[in-house]
């Protein structure tokens, strides 16, 4: 079954794995080859490549083959949508607490 | 295979589905029963319950059975970890651009 994933679904799904978050953090410091990315994880190149593919499908990583080496760098998507969703969610929470405080304040005032 | 998921993994994984994000947004306005959550989605109660379970495992939702009705509300986890990770990632990006701007500025100055 091919399931449609929105960009936001793909972004959060890509972030749900510690190896993939580590790859993004590493690529934030500059581009790297698959071997360079695999080295600190102790993971096989095949295993690492699968994670890179998921990040690539989410637009978070771009890869380019030069000779026999695949070079990876951060892609066009900058996780703004994911950060915006979380920010909106936090803001609605804060608003709710503000409203609750208003109600408490009014109840105090009417005593 | 039982796979260990860190709280950060579970949070991002829980957020990777539009129905689950909609449940969180709805519960941000106040508690609701499974039927009330299912209604706007057109989803079966069984389908909806599965999503609620995933959110419950991630600590994002708490449920309580009263008689024959299950009531849901936001749980103890407030997605701070997920927001913090994204914020840290964005900050490291911003720092990198600042450093790049410094380099460009210095190159301009030495012309």
């Amino acid at each position: 079954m091919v399931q449609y994933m929105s960009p936001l679904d793909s972004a959060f799904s890509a972030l749900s794995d510690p190896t993939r978050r580590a790859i993004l953090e590493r690529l934030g410091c500059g581009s790297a080859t698959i071997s360079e990315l695999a080295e600190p994880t102790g993971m096989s190149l095949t295993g690492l490549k699968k994670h890179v593919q998921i990040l690539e499908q989410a637009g978070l990583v771009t890869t380019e083959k030069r000779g026999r080496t695949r070079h990876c760098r951060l892609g066009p998507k900058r996780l703004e949508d994911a950060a915006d969703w979380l920010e909106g969610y936090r803001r609605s929470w804060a608003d709710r607490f503000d409203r609750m405080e208003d109600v408490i304040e009014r109840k105090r005032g009417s005593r």
Side-chain angles (χ1 to χ4, degrees), chain A residues 73-85:
Chain A
R73 57 185 173 83
L74 289 181
K77 290 270 166 67
R78 292 280 179 266
L79 291 171
E80 286 98 342
D81 294 352
D84 286 349
W85 189 89

Side-chain angles (χ1 to χ4, degrees), chain A residues 2-86:
Chain A
V2 178
Q3 205 180 344
Y4 170 74
M5 283 185 106
S6 77
L8 199 48
D9 300 351
S10 318
F12 281 129
S13 183
L15 294 177
S16 69
D17 183 278
T19 306
R20 292 198 289 270
R21 291 195 301 273
I23 293 173
L24 289 177
E25 285 168 340
R26 167 64 189 80
L27 294 180
C29 303
S31 65
T33 63
I34 296 281
S35 316
E36 285 166 347
L37 291 175
E39 210 248 305
T41 67
M43 199 174 267
S44 71
L45 295 185
T46 317
L48 204 283
K49 255 184 215 166
K50 282 184 191 162
H51 284 299
V52 169
Q53 270 170 2
I54 293 172
L55 289 166
E56 207 172 3
Q57 280 157 9
L60 300 171
V61 164
T62 309
T63 73
E64 190 194 349
K65 194 141 190 187
R66 293 185 216 148
R68 292 180 64 185
T69 320
R70 185 166 289 278
H71 293 255
C72 312
R73 57 185 173 83
L74 289 181
K77 290 270 166 67
R78 292 280 179 266
L79 291 171
E80 286 98 342
D81 294 352
D84 286 349
W85 189 89
L86 275 170

